Amino acid sequence: MTLANYFASLARYHVWATERLIGSNLAGLSEADWHRECGLYFRSVHRTVNHLLVTDDIWFARFAEGRSLRLPLDTELHADRGEACQALGQAVQRWSPWLAEQAPERFDGDLAYTRNNGDAVRIPFAPALGHVFNHATHHRGQLSAALTAMARPGPELDWVYLLQQEAKSS
């Protein structure tokens, strides 16, 4: 498998897992549970969903647009739950079309950007791209754990289930 195909699969997983989490579980939370302090790094489901959106925006701008957004990682982009979930659902969908445009040699290059603190950074492109998807998986796992702690079912988010689903349909 080429790096381009590997990351295309990760991008599909990014969409699939986000849609499963939002559609089946987060949409049904009460306002109190949506905002409840539940021991997450960003404290609540609301703040964690906003963090996922902020970081997806930051990384997409770095990779696809060559821009370095300087947003605090706890920025509340959307106060409204529906708007936050819709925006996140749309944000994760931009990676696949962008990845399809990348030349194979791009994955062997570097990514240069400026961090929020103003530091210039140059890191290997492929591992940095892997971080984008790994980071989202980490926070989706936190959200799933928060749902479980609220006695709500957490969706099955393992990448292997998407792979099995895709294998059946091919």
Side-chain angles (χ1 to χ4, degrees):
M1 175 180 272
T2 66
L3 280 176
N5 288 337
Y6 176 74
F7 285 115
S9 182
L10 273 175
R12 289 191 309 276
Y13 170 68
H14 193 45
V15 171
W16 178 85
T18 300
E19 288 177 348
R20 286 178 63 90
L21 183 63
I22 290 171
S24 64
N25 300 87
L26 297 184
L29 287 178
S30 68
E31 279 300 304
D33 284 345
W34 175 254
H35 291 283
R36 180 202 296 188
E37 162 69 55
C38 41
L40 302 174
Y41 186 84
F42 289 94
R43 301 193 308 265
S44 68
V45 170
H46 168 75
R47 294 174 65 84
T48 301
V49 168
N50 268 280
H51 170 71
L52 279 167
L53 184 55
V54 165
T55 55
D56 208 271
D57 285 351
I58 287 171
W59 283 106
F60 190 80
R62 288 172 178 169
F63 277 97
E65 300 164 359
R67 296 185 309 125
S68 293
L69 301 179
R70 293 177 69 183
L71 290 170
L73 299 179
D74 63 350
T75 299
E76 181 186 59
L77 294 177
H78 296 281
D80 178 78
R81 175 193 355 199
E83 290 174 8
C85 288
Q86 181 179 11
L88 181 59
Q90 291 172 344
V92 298
Q93 292 182 33
R94 3 175 224 204
W95 291 97
S96 288
W98 173 77
L99 281 164
E101 297 173 356
Q102 302 311 300
E105 58 273 8
R106 181 67 186 108
F107 296 95
D108 295 324
D110 289 336
L111 175 68
Y113 62 93
T114 303
R115 294 181 55 203
N116 274 349
N117 67 4
D119 289 347
V121 175
R122 178 175 294 278
I123 57 178
F125 184 93
L129 185 55
H131 165 74
V132 171
F133 300 118
N134 187 57
H135 174 264
T137 298
H138 165 70
H139 286 297
R140 284 190 300 262
Q142 288 183 329
L143 291 168
S144 183
L147 290 167
T148 302
M150 292 179 205
R152 298 183 173 276
E156 183 53 64
L157 298 177
D158 286 346
W159 186 12
V160 72
Y161 291 111
L162 173 63
L163 297 173
Q164 291 168 359
Q165 179 183 326
E166 289 177 342
K168 283 182 186 176
S169 62
S170 46

